[in-house]
Amino acid sequence: MITKAIVYDVESITEVPDGLQDQYNLYLQNSKSGFVSYPQFNRTICIGWILIEKLSNDAPWQICKLNGKPKMDAFVGDDESTIVKNFLNVLNTNNCSLYIGYNNKAYDNPLIKWKAYKYKLDIPYGFMDNYKYNLRPVYDVKLAYNDFDQYPLSLRTLCISLGINNPKANCEGAAVAALFGNKEYTKISEYCIEDLKSTLEAFKLIYKYKN
């Protein structure tokens, strides 16, 4: 029996809606990281994804292919509603048993759901399950590795500790805002996909012990 899953990642920039500047300033003042992660203050500029599959219970995870090409992409640009709509269309047209990301329960999923509400888009039921102590159907690689502890651990740190190549040595997430400002969408897309490949490799290692 074929099992299908999706690995995904959101890139965003800070964008404060009119009328919420005072609230944003309050959150920023209390933020230890200097970043406000609440979805209402962040604009989605890219969502990357990779479809993977297991051909049997004992088979390894592998990237799905269509006509010999890997099924992966990154929706990027200045039209947030289209980016979110296109990604949710991928979710809604693929029967995935796992939704895999890094820190996705704390950031990516709440952001995607908030934007789906905003643009009145359909979300798969399983994607809505964001309970911290479950690894199914939403599999958070960070929580799995940390034994469900939310202590700070970047994907870059995890990859270094596990011997996995990680693109953040070449482009930190904070640099994405500058790339977006210069409309360098191809670079954002490439960065996001490479980040996803690192997440996928970390998932495959950890999944052997926590599935």
Side-chain angles (χ1 to χ4, degrees):
M1 179 179 179
I2 297 177
T3 302
K4 189 180 292 185
I6 189 168
V7 187
Y8 58 96
D9 181 45
V10 175
E11 303 296 339
S12 64
I13 59 172
T14 299
E15 184 174 83
V16 182
D18 293 340
L20 293 181
Q21 188 65 52
D22 289 344
Q23 185 180 6
Y24 172 79
N25 291 341
L26 179 62
Y27 285 136
L28 184 61
Q29 182 180 349
N30 295 324
S31 172
K32 295 180 180 179
S33 66
F35 173 70
V36 179
S37 63
Y38 293 110
Q40 59 266 42
F41 301 121
N42 287 279
R43 175 181 176 182
T44 305
I45 61 171
C46 179
I47 304 179
W49 55 273
I50 301 174
L51 281 174
I52 62 175
E53 63 184 4
K54 280 168 62 76
L55 301 181
S56 68
N57 288 336
D58 298 328
W61 286 102
Q62 60 185 24
I63 297 176
C64 298
K65 292 186 178 180
L66 179 64
N67 297 326
K69 295 183 179 181
K71 295 185 72 172
M72 64 176 72
D73 201 353
F75 304 125
V76 60
D78 59 6
D79 187 342
E80 181 182 65
S81 63
T82 298
I83 292 170
V84 178
K85 180 180 179 180
N86 287 341
F87 176 68
L88 289 176
N89 183 58
V90 174
L91 295 188
N92 288 317
T93 55
N94 289 277
N95 186 23
C96 294
S97 61
L98 287 177
Y99 303 99
I100 305 159
Y102 193 86
N103 198 37
N104 51 335
K105 288 195 174 185
Y107 187 71
D108 303 70
N109 279 36
L111 182 59
I112 292 170
K113 286 189 287 187
W114 181 278
K115 302 304 180 181
Y117 299 155
K118 178 179 179 180
Y119 299 116
K120 300 177 176 61
L121 301 170
D122 293 330
I123 314 173
Y125 178 78
F127 194 79
M128 300 287 286
D129 184 349
N130 218 38
Y131 182 60
K132 176 181 176 180
Y133 298 102
N134 284 343
L135 289 178
R136 292 178 179 272
V138 179
Y139 194 107
D140 189 328
V141 174
K142 177 182 177 182
L143 290 179
Y145 183 80
N146 281 350
D147 293 325
F148 299 102
D149 193 330
Q150 281 282 17
Y151 68 82
L153 178 70
S154 68
L155 177 60
R156 180 175 181 273
T157 300
L158 176 64
C159 287
I160 291 173
S161 67
L162 296 178
I164 297 171
N165 181 53
N166 182 257
K168 293 201 173 190
N170 301 320
C171 177
E172 291 289 342
V176 171
L179 293 176
F180 181 77
N182 294 328
K183 298 187 182 298
E184 296 184 75
Y185 299 148
T186 300
K187 288 186 178 181
I188 296 173
S189 174
E190 291 172 348
Y191 162 77
C192 188
I193 290 294
E194 290 304 313
D195 219 23
L196 282 171
K197 291 178 181 178
S198 298
T199 301
L200 174 57
E201 291 307 309
F203 163 74
K204 289 193 291 186
L205 284 174
I206 296 168
Y207 184 82
K208 294 178 180 179
Y209 308 98
K210 297 182 179 179
N211 56 43

